[in-house]
Amino acid sequence: MPVPILLVTGFLGAGKTTIVNHLLAHAGGRRIAAVVNDFGAINIDAELIAGASDGVVSLSNGCICCSLEGDLLRTLSSLLRRDPRPEYIVIETSGVADPADIVRNLLDPVILREAPLETVLCVMDAATPPAALDDALMRSQLRVADIVALSKLDLADEGAGARMRDSIRALRVPAVVVDARNGEIPAALLFPANVDRAPAPREPGPKRPAEERFETLSWTSERALSLPRLQQAINRLAPKLARAKGLFETIEQPGRLMVFQFAGGRATLATGEVPVPGVPRARIVFIAELGVLSKAELDGIMEGCVASG
């Protein structure tokens, strides 16, 4: 089973480790493996630590944390061989690293097959002066991001968050911008529903994550989809979406599932596995801000993608 990767980037002191700490301490039953540059900065509550060996700290909630030493791909290969295998991998980059280089490394065919890059999260200190966004490295960190998290809002003045959002928007960064108070980010944006692991049940209405800003809507179909019609539908839905992920069979390529991802305004398709009998031929999960997209509107748009007959 593929293990999705969350890449956490951001400038020095932006608050990346605070977010990684929060993810590990509030894993919600997920087995998360965190790969960090500064091992000593991980400050998990003492009662969570179950043991340490071979440079890996094991937590009692099933998560682990290890230090990035040497080759990233070698570290990932080691994590993927662990038993039990992690369900998610979080990589915290150095504050002086260009994430575009790391993204290229993660596109290694062997790693991509076993651990696909799911989300790039850029952490920004809300108090950063807008002029600082002229820095080439900071712009690179923003431009590869699917999600931008504004940190340290409690330390900034009241209008800092709004000014930073305006500055990011002026750079035409397509990422979704969220507040990250105390390192907390809506889990639905980082770890979307795993439609590639289990059948997505039909839902009568929206399922809301714990955070009040976003809601998750699922759509399934027993019939294959028309790829051109789906592309038109996603173009219509894109302005209202924060994330989307799904598996579906198309009439253009019968007998093979397509893996669909939408994040940061970008949509990607990849060839997946063979369909499983008894499982809906199309399963897609959409995440949008509350009240922006109704289930009726979503169903109406998506039903137009279904192959006739």
Side-chain angles (χ1 to χ4, degrees):
M1 204 73 72
V3 179
I5 290 177
L6 165 65
L7 183 64
V8 181
T9 185
F11 212 64
L12 291 166
K16 299 184 297 297
T17 303
T18 300
I19 286 174
V20 173
N21 276 330
H22 192 279
L23 287 172
L24 290 173
H26 302 84
R30 306 177 185 91
R31 287 197 310 276
I32 300 173
V35 182
V36 297
N37 281 279
D38 186 2
F39 194 73
I42 295 296
N43 183 29
I44 300 299
D45 292 339
E47 62 267 22
L48 275 177
I49 297 179
S53 64
D54 300 326
V56 176
V57 173
S58 298
L59 308 181
S60 58
N61 62 357
C63 298
I64 62 172
C65 183
C66 67
S67 179
L68 175 57
E69 294 181 355
D71 184 64
L72 172 61
L73 301 186
R74 188 169 63 247
T75 300
L76 292 177
S77 296
S78 175
L79 287 176
L80 292 170
R81 291 195 301 269
R82 291 184 65 87
D83 186 18
R85 204 180 200 199
E87 295 176 301
Y88 300 93
I89 295 174
V90 177
I91 301 173
E92 179 189 343
T93 70
S94 163
V96 294
D98 187 335
D101 295 333
I102 299 171
V103 169
R104 279 192 288 272
N105 278 330
L106 293 177
L107 294 180
D108 176 277
V110 176
I111 292 296
L112 191 63
R113 184 172 62 250
E114 292 197 64
L117 179 59
E118 175 87 14
T119 304
V120 180
L121 171 70
C122 178
V123 184
M124 289 287 300
D125 184 340
T128 301
L133 298 189
D134 290 336
D135 181 87
L137 176 58
M138 197 171 287
R139 287 198 177 199
S140 179
Q141 292 170 342
L142 282 169
R143 283 177 174 147
V144 300
D146 302 313
I147 312 291
V148 175
L150 299 184
S151 65
K152 304 185 181 183
L153 288 161
D154 56 322
L155 302 178
D157 64 72
E158 189 173 335
R163 289 195 298 273
M164 180 56 67
R165 286 173 187 270
D166 289 342
S167 299
I168 293 171
R169 193 177 301 116
L171 292 176
R172 300 185 182 276
V173 173
V176 175
V177 182
V178 299
D179 293 345
R181 297 185 182 279
N182 302 313
E184 187 171 0
I185 299 174
L189 293 180
L190 305 181
F191 305 116
N194 300 313
V195 296
D196 52 343
R197 297 187 178 207
R202 291 185 180 275
E203 295 179 11
K207 171 189 170 187
R208 296 185 177 179
E211 310 303 323
E212 72 282 356
R213 184 179 166 187
F214 298 93
E215 59 186 340
T216 300
L217 302 96
S218 296
W219 182 84
T220 63
S221 174
E222 302 295 338
R223 291 185 285 171
L225 308 185
S226 161
L227 191 53
R229 288 187 220 160
L230 176 66
Q231 291 170 331
Q232 292 174 1
I234 296 303
N235 285 338
R236 290 176 62 188
L237 290 168
K240 299 185 176 184
L241 295 178
R243 292 295 306 269
K245 179 181 180 181
L247 289 171
F248 50 80
E249 187 178 355
T250 65
I251 58 175
E252 291 81 11
Q253 295 188 40
R256 179 66 64 178
L257 292 174
M258 301 297 292
V259 182
F260 166 68
Q261 294 267 9
F262 178 89
R266 299 182 292 271
T268 60
L269 278 176
T271 303
E273 303 296 327
V274 174
V276 177
V279 175
R281 295 168 79 180
R283 296 169 281 146
I284 306 179
V285 173
F286 299 87
I287 300 173
E289 296 203 32
L290 281 174
V292 169
L293 179 63
S294 71
K295 188 70 167 69
E297 180 185 4
L298 175 66
D299 288 346
I301 291 174
M302 291 304 298
E303 287 302 325
C305 306
V306 176
S308 58

